[in-house]
Amino acid sequence: MEKKMTTPFLFILLHLLQFFAVRPDDSSCLPQKSLTCHNDFSHNITCIWKGSFDSDQRNNACLIYAERVDRWQKSYKFKYKHSYNASCELQSFDSARPALKKCSLTFNGTFLFFAWNEVLMNLSCSSSKQNETLFYKPVCHIKVNPPGKPNVNQTTVTWFTQVKMHMRITDFLSELQWKQKDKSWNDPTVVKKKCKWDCEAQLRPNLLMKDETYEARVRVQAFYHDQSGDWSEWSPTESWVSQVGSSKPASGKMFTNINEVDRFS
Ligand SMILES: *[C@@H]1O[C@H](CO)[C@@H](O)[C@H](O)[C@H]1NC(C)=O
Ligand SMILES: *[C@@H]1O[C@H](CO)[C@@H](O)[C@H](O)[C@H]1NC(C)=O
Ligand SMILES: *[C@@H]1O[C@H](CO)[C@@H](O)[C@H](O)[C@H]1NC(C)=O
Ligand SMILES: *[C@@H]1O[C@H](CO)[C@@H](O)[C@H](O)[C@H]1NC(C)=O
Ligand SMILES: *[C@@H]1O[C@H](CO)[C@@H](O)[C@H](O)[C@H]1NC(C)=O
Ligand SMILES: *[C@@H]1O[C@H](CO)[C@@H](O)[C@H](O)[C@H]1NC(C)=O
Protein backbone atom coordinates (compact mmCIF):
# COMPACT_ATOMS: atom_id res chain seq x y z
CA MET A 1 0.00 0.00 0.00
CA GLU A 2 2.70 2.39 1.03
CA LYS A 3 4.72 1.59 -2.06
CA LYS A 4 1.82 2.34 -4.38
CA MET A 5 1.52 5.82 -2.85
CA THR A 6 5.20 6.72 -3.15
CA THR A 7 5.62 5.85 -6.80
CA PRO A 8 3.37 8.58 -8.26
CA PHE A 9 4.66 10.98 -5.64
CA LEU A 10 8.26 10.32 -6.66
CA PHE A 11 7.27 10.63 -10.25
CA ILE A 12 5.79 14.08 -9.67
CA LEU A 13 8.76 15.12 -7.56
CA LEU A 14 11.19 14.07 -10.25
CA HIS A 15 9.28 16.07 -12.80
CA LEU A 16 9.28 19.12 -10.56
CA LEU A 17 13.01 18.77 -9.95
CA GLN A 18 13.61 18.51 -13.66
CA PHE A 19 11.51 21.59 -14.24
CA PHE A 20 13.43 23.70 -11.76
CA ALA A 21 16.76 22.26 -12.77
CA VAL A 22 16.36 23.71 -16.25
CA ARG A 23 16.22 27.31 -15.10
CA PRO A 24 19.62 27.80 -13.44
CA ASP A 25 21.20 26.24 -16.50
CA ASP A 26 19.20 28.65 -18.59
CA SER A 27 20.69 31.67 -16.84
CA SER A 28 24.26 30.85 -17.84
CA CYS A 29 25.73 32.99 -20.56
CA LEU A 30 28.06 31.59 -23.17
CA PRO A 31 30.76 33.53 -25.00
CA GLN A 32 30.06 34.32 -28.65
CA LYS A 33 32.30 33.16 -31.49
CA SER A 34 32.27 34.14 -35.16
CA LEU A 35 28.79 35.68 -34.91
CA THR A 36 28.62 38.33 -32.16
CA CYS A 37 25.35 40.07 -31.43
CA HIS A 38 24.36 42.72 -28.91
CA ASN A 39 20.89 44.11 -28.29
CA ASP A 40 18.95 47.01 -26.74
CA PHE A 41 16.91 44.57 -24.59
CA SER A 42 13.83 45.75 -26.36
CA HIS A 43 13.47 44.77 -30.03
CA ASN A 44 16.75 45.24 -31.87
CA ILE A 45 19.65 42.76 -32.15
CA THR A 46 22.73 43.93 -34.07
CA CYS A 47 25.10 41.21 -35.27
CA ILE A 48 28.62 41.26 -36.64
CA TRP A 49 29.82 38.18 -38.48
CA LYS A 50 33.40 37.31 -39.24
CA GLY A 51 32.88 35.24 -42.36
CA SER A 52 35.53 33.25 -44.13
CA PHE A 53 37.34 34.39 -47.30
CA ASP A 54 34.69 33.00 -49.66
CA SER A 55 31.85 34.86 -47.90
CA ASP A 56 32.99 38.23 -49.28
CA GLN A 57 31.95 37.48 -52.86
CA ARG A 58 29.56 40.13 -54.14
CA ASN A 59 26.89 37.67 -55.30
CA ASN A 60 26.90 35.71 -52.06
CA ALA A 61 24.05 37.04 -49.95
CA CYS A 62 24.19 36.03 -46.30
CA LEU A 63 21.05 36.20 -44.19
CA ILE A 64 20.26 35.76 -40.53
CA TYR A 65 16.87 34.46 -39.51
CA ALA A 66 15.96 34.74 -35.82
CA GLU A 67 12.99 33.42 -33.90
CA ARG A 68 12.06 33.22 -30.21
CA VAL A 69 12.31 29.60 -29.05
CA ASP A 70 12.64 29.46 -25.24
CA ARG A 71 13.89 25.88 -24.98
CA TRP A 72 12.73 25.13 -21.45
CA GLN A 73 9.23 26.33 -22.25
CA LYS A 74 9.04 24.40 -25.48
CA SER A 75 10.16 21.19 -23.78
CA TYR A 76 7.19 21.48 -21.42
CA LYS A 77 4.82 22.23 -24.26
CA PHE A 78 4.00 25.60 -22.76
CA LYS A 79 2.67 27.59 -25.66
CA TYR A 80 4.04 31.09 -25.28
CA LYS A 81 1.83 33.83 -26.59
CA HIS A 82 4.46 36.36 -27.46
CA SER A 83 6.62 34.95 -30.18
CA TYR A 84 8.69 37.12 -32.43
CA ASN A 85 10.90 36.69 -35.48
CA ALA A 86 12.96 38.79 -37.86
CA SER A 87 15.60 38.49 -40.53
CA CYS A 88 18.30 40.68 -42.00
CA GLU A 89 20.94 40.56 -44.73
CA LEU A 90 24.56 40.91 -43.66
CA GLN A 91 26.46 43.76 -45.34
CA SER A 92 30.14 44.64 -45.35
CA PHE A 93 30.79 47.90 -43.51
CA ASP A 94 34.58 48.15 -43.49
CA SER A 95 36.21 48.21 -46.96
CA ALA A 96 39.53 47.13 -45.43
CA ARG A 97 37.89 43.98 -44.06
CA PRO A 98 35.09 42.94 -46.48
CA ALA A 99 34.60 39.56 -44.80
CA LEU A 100 33.34 41.40 -41.70
CA LYS A 101 29.59 41.86 -42.12
CA LYS A 102 26.85 43.44 -40.05
CA CYS A 103 23.07 43.77 -39.84
CA SER A 104 20.29 44.51 -37.35
CA LEU A 105 17.37 42.20 -36.61
CA THR A 106 14.45 44.49 -35.86
CA PHE A 107 11.47 42.75 -34.29
CA ASN A 108 7.97 44.17 -34.55
CA GLY A 109 7.16 45.96 -31.27
CA THR A 110 9.07 47.30 -28.26
CA PHE A 111 10.24 45.72 -24.97
CA LEU A 112 9.65 42.23 -26.36
CA PHE A 113 12.63 40.62 -24.61
CA PHE A 114 12.46 39.05 -21.14
CA ALA A 115 15.24 37.63 -18.98
CA TRP A 116 14.33 34.02 -19.81
CA ASN A 117 13.98 34.54 -23.57
CA GLU A 118 16.06 32.62 -26.04
CA VAL A 119 16.36 33.29 -29.73
CA LEU A 120 17.39 30.71 -32.29
CA MET A 121 19.43 32.28 -35.03
CA ASN A 122 20.41 30.65 -38.23
CA LEU A 123 22.76 32.20 -40.70
CA SER A 124 23.03 31.00 -44.25
CA CYS A 125 24.65 32.25 -47.44
CA SER A 126 23.23 31.85 -50.92
CA SER A 127 26.18 30.63 -52.94
CA SER A 128 28.52 29.13 -50.36
CA LYS A 129 27.37 26.23 -48.25
CA GLN A 130 28.15 28.08 -45.06
CA ASN A 131 25.57 28.08 -42.31
CA GLU A 132 25.59 28.59 -38.57
CA THR A 133 23.00 28.02 -35.91
CA LEU A 134 23.13 29.57 -32.48
CA PHE A 135 20.98 29.94 -29.39
CA TYR A 136 21.10 33.55 -28.28
CA LYS A 137 19.97 34.89 -24.91
CA PRO A 138 19.25 38.62 -25.23
CA VAL A 139 19.78 39.14 -21.49
CA CYS A 140 23.41 38.03 -21.83
CA HIS A 141 24.42 40.65 -24.41
CA ILE A 142 22.73 43.93 -23.57
CA LYS A 143 24.10 47.16 -24.98
CA VAL A 144 21.53 49.88 -24.45
CA ASN A 145 21.11 52.98 -26.60
CA PRO A 146 23.24 55.98 -25.64
CA PRO A 147 21.90 58.45 -23.07
CA GLY A 148 20.66 61.92 -23.99
CA LYS A 149 22.94 64.95 -24.15
CA PRO A 150 23.95 66.00 -20.63
CA ASN A 151 22.81 69.37 -19.29
CA VAL A 152 25.25 71.59 -17.37
CA ASN A 153 24.20 74.28 -14.90
CA GLN A 154 27.16 75.84 -13.07
CA THR A 155 28.76 72.74 -11.52
CA THR A 156 25.71 70.45 -11.73
CA VAL A 157 25.47 67.99 -14.63
CA THR A 158 22.19 66.16 -15.24
CA TRP A 159 21.22 63.59 -17.87
CA PHE A 160 18.77 60.80 -18.59
CA THR A 161 20.35 57.35 -18.76
CA GLN A 162 18.01 56.61 -21.70
CA VAL A 163 16.27 59.15 -23.92
CA LYS A 164 13.04 57.19 -23.57
CA MET A 165 12.65 55.40 -20.24
CA HIS A 166 13.50 51.70 -20.56
CA MET A 167 10.57 49.53 -19.46
CA ARG A 168 12.76 46.62 -18.30
CA ILE A 169 16.06 48.09 -17.15
CA THR A 170 16.05 50.42 -14.16
CA ASP A 171 19.65 50.22 -12.94
CA PHE A 172 22.50 51.83 -14.80
CA LEU A 173 26.09 52.76 -14.23
CA SER A 174 26.89 56.07 -15.93
CA GLU A 175 30.26 57.41 -16.91
CA LEU A 176 30.57 61.19 -17.31
CA GLN A 177 33.63 62.56 -19.05
CA TRP A 178 34.48 66.23 -19.32
CA LYS A 179 37.41 68.30 -20.55
CA GLN A 180 38.43 71.66 -21.94
CA LYS A 181 37.08 72.02 -25.48
CA ASP A 182 40.52 72.38 -27.10
CA LYS A 183 41.92 69.25 -25.41
CA SER A 184 41.40 65.72 -26.77
CA TRP A 185 39.20 63.03 -25.21
CA ASN A 186 42.34 61.03 -24.35
CA ASP A 187 42.66 62.40 -20.84
CA PRO A 188 39.29 63.67 -19.59
CA THR A 189 38.09 64.01 -16.00
CA VAL A 190 35.91 60.96 -15.28
CA VAL A 191 32.96 60.68 -12.88
CA LYS A 192 31.07 57.40 -12.40
CA LYS A 193 27.55 57.28 -10.94
CA LYS A 194 24.94 54.60 -10.32
CA CYS A 195 21.55 55.91 -11.35
CA LYS A 196 18.01 54.99 -12.32
CA TRP A 197 16.54 57.06 -15.15
CA ASP A 198 17.68 60.55 -14.22
CA CYS A 199 21.21 61.13 -13.12
CA GLU A 200 23.13 64.00 -11.53
CA ALA A 201 26.80 64.62 -10.86
CA GLN A 202 28.81 67.56 -9.53
CA LEU A 203 31.88 69.04 -11.21
CA ARG A 204 34.60 70.14 -8.81
CA PRO A 205 34.73 73.93 -9.07
CA ASN A 206 38.47 73.95 -8.37
CA LEU A 207 38.98 72.07 -11.67
CA LEU A 208 37.10 74.74 -13.65
CA MET A 209 38.28 78.06 -15.05
CA LYS A 210 35.89 80.96 -15.52
CA ASP A 211 35.15 81.86 -19.18
CA GLU A 212 36.82 78.67 -20.41
CA THR A 213 34.84 76.43 -22.80
CA TYR A 214 34.27 72.82 -21.73
CA GLU A 215 32.74 69.68 -23.21
CA ALA A 216 30.95 66.79 -21.50
CA ARG A 217 29.58 63.44 -22.66
CA VAL A 218 28.04 60.40 -20.95
CA ARG A 219 27.61 56.67 -21.61
CA VAL A 220 25.79 53.97 -19.65
CA GLN A 221 25.96 50.30 -18.78
CA ALA A 222 22.80 48.36 -17.93
CA PHE A 223 22.49 46.15 -14.86
CA TYR A 224 19.79 43.52 -15.08
CA HIS A 225 19.25 40.07 -13.50
CA ASP A 226 22.86 39.73 -12.29
CA GLN A 227 24.09 40.64 -15.76
CA SER A 228 26.05 43.74 -16.61
CA GLY A 229 25.74 44.92 -20.19
CA ASP A 230 28.32 46.45 -22.46
CA TRP A 231 28.92 50.20 -22.42
CA SER A 232 26.57 52.11 -24.72
CA GLU A 233 27.91 54.45 -27.37
CA TRP A 234 28.57 58.01 -26.18
CA SER A 235 25.78 60.55 -25.88
CA PRO A 236 25.92 63.72 -27.97
CA THR A 237 28.50 66.15 -26.56
CA GLU A 238 27.41 69.19 -24.55
CA SER A 239 29.54 72.31 -24.71
CA TRP A 240 29.41 75.24 -22.26
CA VAL A 241 31.35 78.27 -21.05
CA SER A 242 32.05 78.03 -17.35
CA GLN A 243 30.77 80.78 -15.11
CA VAL A 244 32.54 79.31 -12.10
CA GLY A 245 36.16 78.66 -11.24
CA SER A 246 39.30 80.74 -11.04
CA SER A 247 39.98 83.40 -13.66
CA LYS A 248 41.80 82.34 -16.79
CA PRO A 249 45.50 83.27 -16.77
CA ALA A 250 46.12 86.35 -18.94
CA SER A 251 47.64 85.54 -22.37
CA GLY A 252 49.54 82.28 -22.75
CA LYS A 253 52.21 83.03 -20.11
CA MET A 254 50.84 81.19 -17.12
CA PHE A 255 49.77 77.59 -17.12
CA THR A 256 47.56 76.17 -14.45
CA ASN A 257 48.55 72.71 -13.48
CA ILE A 258 45.21 71.06 -12.89
CA ASN A 259 46.68 68.35 -10.69
CA GLU A 260 48.37 70.90 -8.47
CA VAL A 261 45.21 72.96 -8.07
CA ASP A 262 43.38 69.80 -7.14
CA ARG A 263 45.92 68.77 -4.51
CA PHE A 264 45.77 72.06 -2.59
CA SER A 265 42.02 72.42 -2.65
C1 LIG B 1 19.29 48.86 -34.14
O1 LIG B 1 20.51 49.03 -33.43
C2 LIG B 1 21.58 49.52 -34.22
C3 LIG B 1 22.83 49.54 -33.36
O2 LIG B 1 22.61 50.16 -32.14
C4 LIG B 1 21.24 50.90 -34.78
O3 LIG B 1 22.29 51.37 -35.60
C5 LIG B 1 19.95 50.81 -35.56
O4 LIG B 1 19.57 52.09 -36.01
C6 LIG B 1 18.83 50.19 -34.73
N1 LIG B 1 17.66 49.99 -35.56
C7 LIG B 1 16.43 50.29 -35.14
C8 LIG B 1 15.32 50.06 -36.12
O5 LIG B 1 16.21 50.75 -34.02
C1 LIG C 1 7.28 35.16 -38.28
O1 LIG C 1 6.31 36.03 -37.71
C2 LIG C 1 5.18 36.26 -38.54
C3 LIG C 1 4.30 37.26 -37.83
O2 LIG C 1 5.00 38.40 -37.48
C4 LIG C 1 4.45 34.97 -38.82
O3 LIG C 1 3.39 35.20 -39.70
C5 LIG C 1 5.40 33.96 -39.40
O4 LIG C 1 4.77 32.72 -39.52
C6 LIG C 1 6.64 33.81 -38.53
N1 LIG C 1 7.55 32.91 -39.16
C7 LIG C 1 7.99 31.80 -38.57
C8 LIG C 1 8.91 30.95 -39.35
O5 LIG C 1 7.64 31.51 -37.43
C1 LIG D 1 3.38 44.48 -35.91
O1 LIG D 1 2.60 44.46 -34.74
C2 LIG D 1 1.39 45.18 -34.84
C3 LIG D 1 0.72 45.20 -33.48
O2 LIG D 1 1.14 44.16 -32.65
C4 LIG D 1 0.52 44.54 -35.92
O3 LIG D 1 -0.69 45.27 -36.05
C5 LIG D 1 1.26 44.54 -37.23
O4 LIG D 1 0.52 43.87 -38.21
C6 LIG D 1 2.62 43.85 -37.08
N1 LIG D 1 3.38 43.97 -38.31
C7 LIG D 1 4.02 42.94 -38.86
C8 LIG D 1 4.78 43.26 -40.11
O5 LIG D 1 4.00 41.82 -38.41
C1 LIG E 1 16.30 28.96 -40.49
O1 LIG E 1 15.10 28.83 -39.78
C2 LIG E 1 13.91 29.02 -40.57
C3 LIG E 1 12.74 28.95 -39.65
O2 LIG E 1 12.82 27.86 -38.79
C4 LIG E 1 13.87 27.96 -41.64
O3 LIG E 1 12.74 28.22 -42.45
C5 LIG E 1 15.13 28.04 -42.47
O4 LIG E 1 15.16 26.98 -43.40
C6 LIG E 1 16.34 27.92 -41.57
N1 LIG E 1 17.53 28.08 -42.36
C7 LIG E 1 18.60 27.32 -42.19
C8 LIG E 1 19.73 27.61 -43.07
O5 LIG E 1 18.66 26.47 -41.30
C1 LIG F 1 25.00 23.49 -42.99
O1 LIG F 1 26.37 23.14 -42.96
C2 LIG F 1 26.58 21.74 -42.80
C3 LIG F 1 28.08 21.50 -42.72
O2 LIG F 1 28.73 22.56 -42.10
C4 LIG F 1 25.97 20.98 -43.96
O3 LIG F 1 26.10 19.59 -43.76
C5 LIG F 1 24.49 21.33 -44.08
O4 LIG F 1 23.93 20.73 -45.23
C6 LIG F 1 24.30 22.83 -44.17
N1 LIG F 1 22.88 23.16 -44.20
C7 LIG F 1 22.34 24.01 -45.05
C8 LIG F 1 20.88 24.25 -44.92
O5 LIG F 1 23.01 24.61 -45.88
C1 LIG G 1 20.48 76.32 -12.41
O1 LIG G 1 20.52 76.00 -11.03
C2 LIG G 1 19.99 77.04 -10.20
C3 LIG G 1 20.24 76.65 -8.75
O2 LIG G 1 20.06 75.31 -8.52
C4 LIG G 1 18.51 77.21 -10.52
O3 LIG G 1 17.94 78.23 -9.72
C5 LIG G 1 18.36 77.56 -12.00
O4 LIG G 1 16.99 77.63 -12.34
C6 LIG G 1 19.06 76.55 -12.87
N1 LIG G 1 19.04 76.98 -14.25
C7 LIG G 1 18.62 76.25 -15.25
C8 LIG G 1 18.69 76.85 -16.61
O5 LIG G 1 18.20 75.11 -15.07
Side-chain angles (χ1 to χ4, degrees):
M1 187 69 196
E2 207 176 302
K3 204 142 204 167
K4 269 180 192 163
M5 288 293 284
T6 30
T7 315
F9 174 74
L10 269 177
F11 187 75
I12 290 163
L13 187 70
L14 270 172
H15 259 249
L16 278 172
L17 277 173
Q18 224 177 324
F19 180 80
F20 287 111
V22 179
R23 297 212 68 176
D25 206 23
D26 222 47
S27 68
S28 66
C29 289
L30 297 169
Q32 304 188 91
K33 289 171 195 154
S34 58
L35 183 64
T36 57
C37 306
H38 58 75
N39 70 90
D40 58 359
F41 209 58
S42 169
H43 63 280
N44 184 358
I45 303 178
T46 299
C47 295
I48 294 182
W49 184 53
K50 198 170 170 291
S52 62
F53 54 90
D54 64 335
S55 68
D56 63 2
Q57 300 159 19
R58 291 241 169 77
N59 57 354
N60 187 11
C62 295
L63 283 115
I64 304 177
Y65 174 82
E67 189 183 353
R68 179 181 170 189
V69 283
D70 303 4
R71 276 177 293 178
W72 69 274
Q73 289 189 345
K74 215 161 209 179
S75 64
Y76 285 86
K77 298 187 172 64
F78 178 86
K79 185 80 186 138
Y80 44 87
K81 281 180 282 182
H82 306 287
S83 193
Y84 44 77
N85 66 36
S87 65
C88 65
E89 186 180 338
L90 288 155
Q91 307 281 356
S92 299
F93 60 98
D94 181 352
S95 56
R97 292 178 296 172
L100 215 55
K101 296 181 174 202
K102 182 161 111 171
C103 70
S104 291
L105 294 154
T106 309
F107 299 93
N108 186 19
T110 53
F111 306 111
L112 302 170
F113 304 159
F114 287 91
W116 57 87
N117 282 185
E118 279 186 281
V119 173
L120 175 65
M121 288 190 190
N122 67 32
L123 184 162
S124 56
C125 298
S126 61
S127 64
S128 59
K129 286 191 188 79
Q130 275 175 305
N131 66 76
E132 278 182 45
T133 302
L134 124 127
F135 280 98
Y136 180 77
K137 293 173 190 162
V139 73
C140 294
H141 310 283
I142 301 173
K143 177 182 171 180
V144 288
N145 294 323
K149 192 195 245 190
N151 179 61
V152 183
N153 180 356
Q154 308 279 349
T155 57
T156 305
V157 188
T158 52
W159 64 94
F160 291 110
T161 50
Q162 292 284 275
V163 176
K164 273 190 195 163
M165 196 188 273
H166 202 290
M167 299 295 283
R168 301 266 184 276
I169 298 161
T170 53
D171 295 297
F172 296 91
L173 178 66
S174 282
E175 180 178 334
L176 163 70
Q177 292 193 345
W178 63 279
K179 61 164 186 76
Q180 268 172 260
K181 192 184 172 78
D182 54 11
K183 298 256 165 73
S184 87
W185 283 113
N186 290 337
D187 191 24
T189 305
V190 177
V191 182
K192 288 199 178 178
K193 287 282 283 193
K194 278 185 180 168
C195 325
K196 302 283 182 188
W197 188 41
D198 49 346
C199 212
E200 185 181 306
Q202 296 297 324
L203 305 178
R204 298 171 63 176
N206 55 301
L207 296 181
L208 290 163
M209 272 184 291
K210 197 168 171 15
D211 302 325
E212 182 63 59
T213 307
Y214 291 92
E215 284 184 337
R217 62 182 188 178
V218 282
R219 61 177 182 170
V220 294
Q221 195 182 8
F223 284 85
Y224 188 73
H225 274 243
D226 302 331
Q227 302 292 333
S228 54
D230 285 343
W231 284 108
S232 72
E233 299 296 323
W234 290 103
S235 70
T237 299
E238 171 68 330
S239 171
W240 79 101
V241 178
S242 181
Q243 280 145 36
V244 295
S246 53
S247 296
K248 266 210 271 194
S251 70
K253 279 180 193 166
M254 260 173 66
F255 291 96
T256 312
N257 185 325
I258 282 174
N259 292 327
E260 217 150 56
V261 172
D262 196 21
R263 210 182 305 146
F264 293 113
S265 64

mmCIF file of all heavy atoms in Angstrom, residues 65-67 120-125 130-133, ligand 4:
data_model
loop_
_atom_site.group_PDB
_atom_site.id
_atom_site.type_symbol
_atom_site.label_atom_id
_atom_site.label_comp_id
_atom_site.label_asym_id
_atom_site.label_seq_id
_atom_site.Cartn_x
_atom_site.Cartn_y
_atom_site.Cartn_z
ATOM 1 N N TYR A 65 18.273 34.572 -39.904
ATOM 2 C CA TYR A 65 16.874 34.459 -39.510
ATOM 3 C C TYR A 65 16.852 34.199 -38.014
ATOM 4 O O TYR A 65 17.632 33.369 -37.518
ATOM 5 C CB TYR A 65 16.184 33.314 -40.270
ATOM 6 C CG TYR A 65 14.779 33.070 -39.785
ATOM 7 C CD1 TYR A 65 13.724 33.859 -40.249
ATOM 8 C CD2 TYR A 65 14.508 32.095 -38.823
ATOM 9 C CE1 TYR A 65 12.440 33.674 -39.778
ATOM 10 C CE2 TYR A 65 13.219 31.902 -38.349
ATOM 11 C CZ TYR A 65 12.192 32.697 -38.828
ATOM 12 O OH TYR A 65 10.927 32.510 -38.352
ATOM 13 N N ALA A 66 16.006 34.902 -37.281
ATOM 14 C CA ALA A 66 15.955 34.745 -35.821
ATOM 15 C C ALA A 66 14.519 34.592 -35.354
ATOM 16 O O ALA A 66 13.609 35.262 -35.858
ATOM 17 C CB ALA A 66 16.588 35.953 -35.141
ATOM 18 N N GLU A 67 14.335 33.705 -34.391
ATOM 19 C CA GLU A 67 12.990 33.423 -33.896
ATOM 20 C C GLU A 67 13.053 33.076 -32.414
ATOM 21 O O GLU A 67 13.978 32.372 -31.990
ATOM 22 C CB GLU A 67 12.432 32.231 -34.685
ATOM 23 C CG GLU A 67 10.994 31.939 -34.443
ATOM 24 C CD GLU A 67 10.512 30.696 -35.204
ATOM 25 O OE1 GLU A 67 11.283 30.139 -36.017
ATOM 26 O OE2 GLU A 67 9.379 30.284 -34.950
ATOM 27 N N LEU A 120 16.610 31.598 -31.421
ATOM 28 C CA LEU A 120 17.394 30.711 -32.288
ATOM 29 C C LEU A 120 17.732 31.486 -33.549
ATOM 30 O O LEU A 120 16.848 32.038 -34.191
ATOM 31 C CB LEU A 120 16.597 29.447 -32.633
ATOM 32 C CG LEU A 120 17.277 28.501 -33.636
ATOM 33 C CD1 LEU A 120 18.552 27.905 -33.046
ATOM 34 C CD2 LEU A 120 16.335 27.388 -34.047
ATOM 35 N N MET A 121 19.018 31.551 -33.832
ATOM 36 C CA MET A 121 19.428 32.277 -35.026
ATOM 37 C C MET A 121 20.021 31.290 -35.994
ATOM 38 O O MET A 121 20.815 30.441 -35.591
ATOM 39 C CB MET A 121 20.536 33.264 -34.674
ATOM 40 C CG MET A 121 20.050 34.431 -33.884
ATOM 41 S SD MET A 121 21.385 35.611 -33.828
ATOM 42 C CE MET A 121 20.696 36.705 -32.617
ATOM 43 N N ASN A 122 19.661 31.406 -37.248
ATOM 44 C CA ASN A 122 20.412 30.649 -38.230
ATOM 45 C C ASN A 122 20.880 31.563 -39.341
ATOM 46 O O ASN A 122 20.174 32.431 -39.804
ATOM 47 C CB ASN A 122 19.704 29.374 -38.684
ATOM 48 C CG ASN A 122 18.444 29.613 -39.455
ATOM 49 O OD1 ASN A 122 18.320 30.586 -40.167
ATOM 50 N ND2 ASN A 122 17.494 28.691 -39.315
ATOM 51 N N LEU A 123 22.108 31.366 -39.696
ATOM 52 C CA LEU A 123 22.762 32.203 -40.697
ATOM 53 C C LEU A 123 23.060 31.322 -41.899
ATOM 54 O O LEU A 123 23.583 30.211 -41.734
ATOM 55 C CB LEU A 123 24.061 32.728 -40.077
ATOM 56 C CG LEU A 123 24.935 33.716 -40.842
ATOM 57 C CD1 LEU A 123 25.871 34.385 -39.858
ATOM 58 C CD2 LEU A 123 25.751 33.072 -41.938
ATOM 59 N N SER A 124 22.702 31.787 -43.061
ATOM 60 C CA SER A 124 23.032 31.001 -44.255
ATOM 61 C C SER A 124 23.352 31.922 -45.413
ATOM 62 O O SER A 124 22.830 33.032 -45.496
ATOM 63 C CB SER A 124 21.872 30.065 -44.611
ATOM 64 O OG SER A 124 20.698 30.811 -44.775
ATOM 65 N N CYS A 125 24.229 31.464 -46.278
ATOM 66 C CA CYS A 125 24.652 32.254 -47.435
ATOM 67 C C CYS A 125 24.171 31.582 -48.707
ATOM 68 O O CYS A 125 24.104 30.346 -48.779
ATOM 69 C CB CYS A 125 26.171 32.382 -47.458
ATOM 70 S SG CYS A 125 26.835 33.252 -46.017
ATOM 71 N N GLN A 130 27.980 27.724 -46.468
ATOM 72 C CA GLN A 130 28.155 28.082 -45.058
ATOM 73 C C GLN A 130 26.824 28.255 -44.350
ATOM 74 O O GLN A 130 25.882 28.825 -44.904
ATOM 75 C CB GLN A 130 28.898 29.402 -44.966
ATOM 76 C CG GLN A 130 30.388 29.249 -45.030
ATOM 77 C CD GLN A 130 31.041 30.611 -45.051
ATOM 78 O OE1 GLN A 130 30.736 31.438 -45.892
ATOM 79 N NE2 GLN A 130 31.910 30.824 -44.104
ATOM 80 N N ASN A 131 26.728 27.778 -43.154
ATOM 81 C CA ASN A 131 25.574 28.079 -42.308
ATOM 82 C C ASN A 131 25.971 27.909 -40.848
ATOM 83 O O ASN A 131 26.865 27.131 -40.523
ATOM 84 C CB ASN A 131 24.373 27.207 -42.684
ATOM 85 C CG ASN A 131 24.603 25.742 -42.398
ATOM 86 O OD1 ASN A 131 24.554 25.322 -41.248
ATOM 87 N ND2 ASN A 131 24.854 24.958 -43.435
ATOM 88 N N GLU A 132 25.311 28.661 -40.007
ATOM 89 C CA GLU A 132 25.591 28.587 -38.569
ATOM 90 C C GLU A 132 24.284 28.689 -37.834
ATOM 91 O O GLU A 132 23.384 29.413 -38.234
ATOM 92 C CB GLU A 132 26.492 29.754 -38.136
ATOM 93 C CG GLU A 132 27.957 29.515 -38.402
ATOM 94 C CD GLU A 132 28.830 30.661 -37.919
ATOM 95 O OE1 GLU A 132 28.608 31.141 -36.783
ATOM 96 O OE2 GLU A 132 29.708 31.061 -38.684
ATOM 97 N N THR A 133 24.179 27.944 -36.754
ATOM 98 C CA THR A 133 22.995 28.024 -35.911
ATOM 99 C C THR A 133 23.456 28.348 -34.504
ATOM 100 O O THR A 133 24.480 27.830 -34.057
ATOM 101 C CB THR A 133 22.229 26.689 -35.928
ATOM 102 O OG1 THR A 133 21.878 26.407 -37.275
ATOM 103 C CG2 THR A 133 20.969 26.767 -35.098
HETATM 104 C C1 LIG B 4 16.296 28.955 -40.494
HETATM 105 O O1 LIG B 4 15.099 28.833 -39.785
HETATM 106 C C2 LIG B 4 13.914 29.016 -40.570
HETATM 107 C C3 LIG B 4 12.738 28.951 -39.647
HETATM 108 O O2 LIG B 4 12.820 27.864 -38.786
HETATM 109 C C4 LIG B 4 13.865 27.965 -41.645
HETATM 110 O O3 LIG B 4 12.742 28.218 -42.454
HETATM 111 C C5 LIG B 4 15.132 28.038 -42.472
HETATM 112 O O4 LIG B 4 15.158 26.978 -43.404
HETATM 113 C C6 LIG B 4 16.342 27.923 -41.568
HETATM 114 N N1 LIG B 4 17.526 28.076 -42.363
HETATM 115 C C7 LIG B 4 18.597 27.317 -42.186
HETATM 116 C C8 LIG B 4 19.731 27.608 -43.071
HETATM 117 O O5 LIG B 4 18.661 26.467 -41.303
#
